[in-house]
C-alpha cells in the first residue's frame, strides 16, 4: 500500500515548518509526503469568498486570495524541500492547481502527479497532465461516476497508461463524519472502471484507512499536522 502523508498547506508558508512536517512523515514510515503547488493569481479572484470551514479556521476578514498568497511555495522552496526529502528517504509529491504549476513540477522531475478533487472536471488541466505519461493519483471528491469516467478517458486519450492511474474515493468534507464515508464507493469505482483504487481520508482517526486497506485499497492519503490548534485552514481537520 502506497501511503501519502498530506502536508498540504499545513506548512503555513514556512520552510522550517514544511521541513518539520517532512521529519514527522519520514519517522512515521510513510512512502510519500505531499504538498500543494499553486499561484494564487492563477486560481482565485481577489473577491472570492472562503469556504465555510476556512472562515472558521482562519482570519474572517482576510480574502480567499490573500490566504492562498501566504500559503504559496516558491520555486526555491520546492527545490529545497525536494532535496530535504531525499535526505530523509521519502518521496516528495505535490498537487498542482494550475498549468504553470504542472510545468514546474514536471521540470522538477516529479514522477507521480496527484490530481486534487477540485480539478476532476478541469479537462484542459487533465489533458496537460495526461500528456506527461506519468503515474497519476486522482481524487474524486464531489464527483459522480460520469465525471470520473470522463476524467479517466481524457487522461488515457492524452497518453497516460491506464495501469499508471490510481483513483481515490474521497469526501470533500473537513473533517468527514463517519456516516458520510461510504467506503463501498471506493469498490464501486475500482470495479466499474477496472482501475487501481484507494482512499483519500479526512475523517478524525485512522480506522477508515485500515478498513480501506482491508478491502483492497492500494493507496491511502491522510492529511496531517504538527498541532490541530495551529492557525491555518486545514490544521483542525488533520491527523
Amino acid at each position: 500500500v502506497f501511503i501519502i502523508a498530506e502536508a498540504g498547506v499545513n506548512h503555513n508558508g514556512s520552510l522550517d515548518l514544511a521541513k518539520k512536517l517532512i521529519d514527522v512523515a519520514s519517522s512515521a514510515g510513510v512512502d510519500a509526503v505531499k504538498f500543494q503547488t499553486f499561484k494564487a493569481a492563477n486560481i482565485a479572484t481577489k473577491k472570492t469568498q472562503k469556504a465555510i470551514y476556512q472562515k472558521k479556521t482562519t482570519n474572517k476578514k482576510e480574502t480567499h486570495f490573500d490566504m492562498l498568497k501566504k500559503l504559496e511555495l516558491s520555486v526555491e522552496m520546492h527545490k529545497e524541500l525536494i532535496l530535504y526529502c531525499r535526505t530523509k528517504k521519502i518521496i516528495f509529491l505535490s498537487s498542482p492547481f494550475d498549468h504553470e504549476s504542472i510545468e514546474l513540477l514536471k521540470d522538477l522531475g516529479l514522477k507521480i502527479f496527484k490530481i486534487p478533487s477540485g480539478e476532476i472536471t478541469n479537462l484542459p488541466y487533465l489533458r496537460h497532465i495526461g500528456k506527461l505519461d506519468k503515474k497519476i493519483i486522482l481524487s474524486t471528491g464531489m464527483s459522480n461516476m460520469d465525471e470520473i469516467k470522463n476524467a479517466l478517458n481524457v487522461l488515457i486519450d492524452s497518453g497516460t497508461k491506464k495501469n499508471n492511474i490510481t483513483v481515490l474515493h474521497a469526501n470533500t468534507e473537513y473533517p468527514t463524519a463517519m456516516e458520510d464515508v461510504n467506503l463501498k464507493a471506493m469498490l464501486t469505482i475500482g470495479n466499474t472502471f477496472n482501475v487501481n483504487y484507494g482512499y483519500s481520508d479526512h475523517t478524525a482517526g485512522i480506522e477508515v484507512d485500515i478498513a480501506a486497506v482491508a478491502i483492497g485499497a492500494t493507496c491511502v492519503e491522510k492529511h496531517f499536522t504538527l498541532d490541530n490548534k495551529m492557525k491555518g485552514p486545514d490544521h483542525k481537520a488533520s491527523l
Side-chain angles (χ1 to χ4, degrees), residues 85-136:
C85 281
R86 282 183 195 151
T87 68
K88 292 289 176 176
K89 295 181 171 53
I90 189 170
I91 297 168
F92 173 93
L93 295 179
S94 190
S95 289
F97 283 78
D98 54 78
H99 292 281
E100 190 177 338
S101 298
I102 293 170
E103 283 298 301
L104 171 62
L105 295 179
K106 181 195 80 173
D107 292 344
L108 290 172
L110 265 68
K111 294 182 171 65
I112 303 170
F113 274 70
K114 168 69 204 306
I115 298 173
S117 292
E119 306 305 324
I120 194 166
T121 54
N122 185 345
L123 303 189
Y125 168 102
L126 295 176
R127 283 190 199 99
H128 193 162
I129 291 179
K131 287 176 184 174
L132 304 178
D133 192 21
K134 304 283 188 179
K135 288 188 176 178
I136 291 174

Side-chain angles (χ1 to χ4, degrees), residues 9-28:
V9 294
N10 284 345
H11 51 77
N12 289 356
S14 161
L15 188 63
D16 286 342
L17 187 52
K19 287 182 176 179
K20 285 177 183 173
L21 286 161
I22 292 169
D23 289 341
V24 167
S26 175
S27 64

Side-chain angles (χ1 to χ4, degrees), residues 3-4 8 10-11 20 32 39 47 51 56-57 62 64 70 72 111 113 122 143 164 171 187-188 193 195 217 230 235:
I3 301 177
I4 302 168
N10 284 345
H11 51 77
K20 285 177 183 173
K39 283 287 183 75
K47 294 182 181 177
K56 291 178 182 175
T57 55
E62 179 185 63
H64 187 235
K70 290 196 294 194
E72 283 182 9
K111 294 182 171 65
F113 274 70
N122 185 345
S143 65
N164 279 340
N171 305 92
L187 297 179
T188 301
F193 303 113
V195 72
M230 291 178 82
H235 292 285

